Amino acid sequence: MIPPKGLSVLGQAFPARAAGIWSAGTAVASGVAPAIAGAILDHGSSRTTFLMRLPVVAGALAVGTVWIPKDSPTSHARVDVGGAVFSIVGLGGLGAGLTSLIPV
């Protein structure tokens, strides 16, 4: 659910280069993150691997507040309650089904 919205925000902020920025960021993250996580696992615990996201999030928030243009709120936006409920039930059922396949 997050990647399409992220690409939409990038498309509004950088119309000509959104797909390139998105692809470059994904390529760098998929290449660097496993190495950083492995180094953290070697020198820490598995819980500390979640801390590697904090500098990335802080940087993204800093860059986002500067570069992403402010969008005027619209009063016409509606929440698709049926779709939200369907997504929760569907993804929850998929998760429960996959979890039940794991032997205890």
Side-chain angles (χ1 to χ4, degrees):
M1 293 179 199
I2 293 173
K5 183 60 180 173
L7 188 55
S8 171
V9 169
L10 276 176
Q12 290 175 357
F14 308 100
R17 301 177 287 172
I21 292 170
W22 182 258
S23 299
T26 303
V28 169
S30 64
V32 171
I36 294 173
I40 291 173
L41 284 172
D42 282 345
H43 301 291
S45 70
S46 61
R47 292 183 181 186
T48 55
T49 57
F50 294 107
L51 295 176
M52 72 185 234
R53 296 176 190 228
L54 293 178
V56 174
V57 169
L61 286 174
V63 169
T65 56
V66 173
W67 280 354
I68 297 175
K70 302 290 185 238
D71 192 20
S72 61
T74 59
S75 61
H76 305 305
R78 295 183 350 179
V79 175
D80 181 14
V81 177
V85 170
F86 183 69
S87 295
I88 291 170
V89 171
L91 291 172
L94 179 65
L98 290 174
T99 303
S100 69
L101 294 174
I102 300 173
V104 178

